[in-house]
Amino acid sequence: QVQLVESGGGLVQAGGSLRLSCAASGRTFGGYRMGWFRQGPGKEREFVAAISSIGGVTIYADSVKGRFTISRDSTKNTLYLLMNSLTSEDTAQYYCATASSRSASVGRKPSDYSYWGQGTQVTVSS
């Protein structure tokens, strides 16, 4: 059974930084695309960033491009999201996700992913 556990969320002032982690277990880490999504109060879940199975390709939502960096460490079975220059618009529950089948591609849609973590809350105070 694939399990994803996010951590690293919290309360931060505008302009600050946080690094989210997503620990994966239950299968081989490599070979599967991974992504971060978020859901703010009263909003739908939205794409944040994604990374290909071996980390060679990364894509970002326009709203976070240049501020957030997604990465993965296969030796630790962990996905990361480094978030800089945070604003109140970044306040949301953040989720990591991974696909059920091996692929070299990345995905922006929730339907590109089969397994989801429980989420970690990020709150940015202005």
Side-chain angles (χ1 to χ4, degrees):
Q1 181 74 9
V2 175
Q3 286 193 316
L4 301 173
V5 179
E6 302 95 335
S7 62
L11 176 64
V12 63
Q13 288 189 330
S17 299
L18 281 176
R19 189 179 77 160
L20 305 184
S21 299
C22 172
S25 62
R27 71 174 184 195
T28 304
F29 185 69
Y32 302 88
R33 73 168 71 97
M34 299 195 75
W36 287 98
F37 289 75
R38 67 186 181 187
Q39 187 165 14
K43 297 181 180 180
E44 294 186 353
R45 188 169 299 192
E46 64 173 356
F47 168 75
V48 176
I51 189 166
S52 62
S53 56
I54 58 174
V57 178
T58 57
I59 56 173
Y60 298 91
D62 287 343
S63 59
V64 307
K65 200 173 295 183
R67 300 188 298 122
F68 290 13
T69 303
I70 188 172
S71 61
R72 62 192 296 165
D73 186 341
S74 295
T75 66
K76 297 181 179 179
N77 287 0
T78 301
L79 177 73
Y80 300 101
L81 184 69
L82 176 61
M83 306 185 295
N84 295 321
S85 303
L86 286 162
T87 75
S88 58
E89 294 296 308
D90 297 315
T91 293
Q93 185 84 348
Y94 283 72
Y95 301 88
C96 69
T98 189
S100 59
S101 57
R102 292 179 181 270
S103 172
S105 65
V106 291
R108 293 178 176 268
K109 304 185 300 294
S111 58
D112 292 328
Y113 301 88
S114 301
Y115 301 105
W116 295 80
Q118 292 299 307
T120 186
Q121 177 67 35
V122 172
T123 303
V124 184
S125 63
S126 54

